């Protein structure tokens, strides 16, 4: 109901009477008033006047009702420790495919390899619960799919030259705009769920504490709509995941990567390897030509371009 009230207010460039809303939605005027009060409390800038209600500015809020058609599968929080924690709990309790956990800020945002992820107001922090019917061996391709779809979404929306750094970071001019983390559980050799957590530097300012990071707002010198980014990304990713088509993912990822042909240093839990990144194989492992000429395949780690 809140989403429908907002649509009516947003469509009208002025005051809409309580009566118009109540008859359009077939609810009482008291009920309209109660919903409006809840929306105001949630942060919407709605003016109540003696003749009706007017939405004053288009706030960029990420409540479930902002995502028409997905309301039932969106869990929004103003603040959580990490969306990964909430999503894991929901997935273990059986939440359906494409449930999305979004938070305004995170107090313990996690990055890969046990790093922290800065999660100030203005960024986009979310975890998607996916349940593709695939063997565990294919699971890493889901991450590559998620990063290909994100790089394409950002390019299409903003005309920026976003690139993917192995394995799943999104960079613009060498600075990090987005990072991705995934956790999965399996039964026998089939995936039960894979949770993909994504942080996008949208309207926040990460660069003061992380000099190699940058936000879309800093690149474009204007605010961006977090809601529009998330809507377009979720729609595109859902189509892509449901279509399967895992064979096409790595070649597509390679088209958008800035890692191949770079001198890199890969930090893994088993040590640090450096050399020339010569390829990415069909499973997403990075093929490295080490300084002594030996060729090594690395399947997990953090990559630094030199
Ligand atoms: C990385 O680049 O190291 C991965 C960063 C992943 C950050 C996102 S923000 C939403 C989700 N919740 C977390 O705690 N981490 C991921």
């Amino acid at each position: 109901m809140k989403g429908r009230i907002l649509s009516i207010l947003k469509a009208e460039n002025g005051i809409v009477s309580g009566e118009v809303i109540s008859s359009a939605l077939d609810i009482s005027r008291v009920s309209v008033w109660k919903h409006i009060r809840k929306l105001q409390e949630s942060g919407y800038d709605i003016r109540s006047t003696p003749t009706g209600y007017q939405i004053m500015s288009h706030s960029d809020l990420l409540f479930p009702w902002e995502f028409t058609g997905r309301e039932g599968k969106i869990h929004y929080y103003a603040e959580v420790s990490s969306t990964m924690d909430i999503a894991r709990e929901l997935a273990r309790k059986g939440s359906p495919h494409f449930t999305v956990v979004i938070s305004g800020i995170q107090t313990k945002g996690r990055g890969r390899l046990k790093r922290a992820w800065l999660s100030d107001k203005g960024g986009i922090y979310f975890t998607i619960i996916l349940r593709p019917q695939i063997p565990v061996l294919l699971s890493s391709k889901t991450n590559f799919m998620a990063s290909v779809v994100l790089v394409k979404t950002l390019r299409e929306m903003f005309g920026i030259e976003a690139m993917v750094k192995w394995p799943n970071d999104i960079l613009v001019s060498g600075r990090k705009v987005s990072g991705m983390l995934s956790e999965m559980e399996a039964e026998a050799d089939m995936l039960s769920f894979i949770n993909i957590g994504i942080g996008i530097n949208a309207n926040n300012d990460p660069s003061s504490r992380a000099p190699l990071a940058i936000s879309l707002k800093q690149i474009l010198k204007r605010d961006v709509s977090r809601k529009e980014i998330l809507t377009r990304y979720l729609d595109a990713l859902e189509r892509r995941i449901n279509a399967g088509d895992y064979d096409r993912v790595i070649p597509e990822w390679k088209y958008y990567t800035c890692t191949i042909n770079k001198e890199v240093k890969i930090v893994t839990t088993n040590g640090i390897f450096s050399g020339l990144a010569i390829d990415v194989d069909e499973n997403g492992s990075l093929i490295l030509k080490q300084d002594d000429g030996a060729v090594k395949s690395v399947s997990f780690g953090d990559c630094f371009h030199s």
Side-chain angles (χ1 to χ4, degrees):
M1 196 49 78
K2 292 188 185 62
R4 295 171 72 193
I5 292 176
L6 282 169
S7 304
I8 295 174
L9 292 176
K10 283 176 187 169
E12 192 59 49
N13 196 12
I15 295 170
V16 188
S17 72
E19 203 175 327
V20 165
I21 302 174
S22 82
S23 60
L25 301 178
D26 203 17
I27 54 173
S28 71
R29 286 180 62 178
V30 175
S31 175
V32 171
W33 173 78
K34 282 186 181 158
H35 282 299
I36 296 268
R37 210 183 45 183
K38 283 255 165 62
L39 286 168
Q40 289 167 329
E41 284 165 8
S42 307
Y44 289 91
D45 188 5
I46 300 171
R47 188 166 68 108
S48 303
T49 75
T51 52
Y53 307 100
Q54 182 176 15
I55 192 145
M56 302 307 289
S57 58
H58 282 242
S59 36
D60 186 26
L61 299 168
L62 304 177
F63 292 106
W65 54 80
E66 291 285 354
F67 300 91
T68 313
R70 297 194 179 277
E71 299 88 333
K73 290 206 275 183
I74 300 254
H75 297 251
Y76 172 82
Y77 301 87
E79 176 181 317
V80 291
S81 53
S82 161
T83 54
M84 299 307 282
D85 299 337
I86 313 281
R88 189 197 293 135
E89 227 171 276
L90 287 172
R92 285 181 178 164
K93 284 188 189 147
S95 282
H97 179 60
F98 236 92
T99 297
V100 185
V101 180
I102 306 171
S103 190
I105 58 173
Q106 299 182 114
T107 52
K108 284 198 180 122
R110 302 205 294 269
R112 297 172 71 247
L113 297 175
K114 299 202 171 122
R115 281 185 320 234
W117 179 262
L118 295 176
S119 306
D120 298 337
K121 197 163 174 271
I124 309 176
Y125 314 108
F126 63 108
T127 300
I128 312 168
I129 300 174
L130 298 172
R131 296 186 185 278
Q133 312 274 296
I134 54 171
V136 174
L137 272 175
L138 274 185
S139 67
S140 71
K141 287 204 182 170
T142 314
N143 299 333
F144 284 86
M145 219 175 233
S147 52
V148 163
V149 174
L150 185 55
V151 88
K152 286 169 82 170
T153 304
L154 295 178
R155 281 169 170 245
E156 279 163 24
M157 286 185 74
F158 303 114
I160 51 179
E161 260 211 45
M163 308 290 282
V164 203
K165 177 166 78 80
W166 186 85
N168 305 117
D169 289 353
I170 310 281
L171 309 187
V172 173
S173 305
R175 294 172 74 182
K176 186 154 162 173
V177 168
S178 167
M180 196 174 287
L181 178 70
S182 74
E183 292 176 357
M184 56 149 213
E185 287 188 8
E187 256 181 64
D189 58 350
M190 289 299 279
L191 207 61
S192 306
F193 63 82
I194 178 162
N195 289 350
I196 299 200
I198 301 178
I200 304 174
N201 295 320
N203 296 322
N204 51 324
D205 169 14
S207 53
S208 52
R209 281 183 288 158
L212 288 177
I214 193 164
S215 68
L216 293 168
K217 178 179 178 170
Q218 290 172 320
I219 296 166
L220 300 163
K221 316 241 177 312
R222 64 170 172 89
D223 277 313
V224 292
S225 164
R226 296 178 310 155
K227 175 192 154 181
E228 202 188 329
I229 295 171
L230 209 41
T231 303
R232 289 180 58 161
Y233 179 63
L234 294 176
D235 288 352
L237 182 65
E238 188 166 31
R239 275 195 302 275
R240 187 68 199 259
I241 296 274
N242 292 349
D245 197 9
Y246 287 87
D247 290 345
R248 206 159 51 91
V249 179
I250 300 294
E252 211 178 346
W253 182 94
K254 284 194 204 174
Y255 178 79
Y256 292 108
T257 189
C258 52
T259 296
I260 294 177
N261 290 329
K262 284 251 167 63
E263 287 292 337
V264 298
K265 186 170 84 178
I266 311 293
V267 180
T268 76
T269 37
N270 299 326
I272 300 177
F273 308 99
S274 47
L276 182 68
I278 53 173
D279 202 0
V280 165
D281 72 15
E282 72 275 17
N283 300 314
S285 298
L286 188 69
I287 311 297
L288 204 60
K289 188 168 183 197
Q290 292 177 275
D291 301 335
D292 62 2
V295 173
K296 185 173 179 59
S297 149
V298 190
S299 57
F300 190 82
D302 223 6
C303 172
F304 298 88
H305 292 172
S306 44

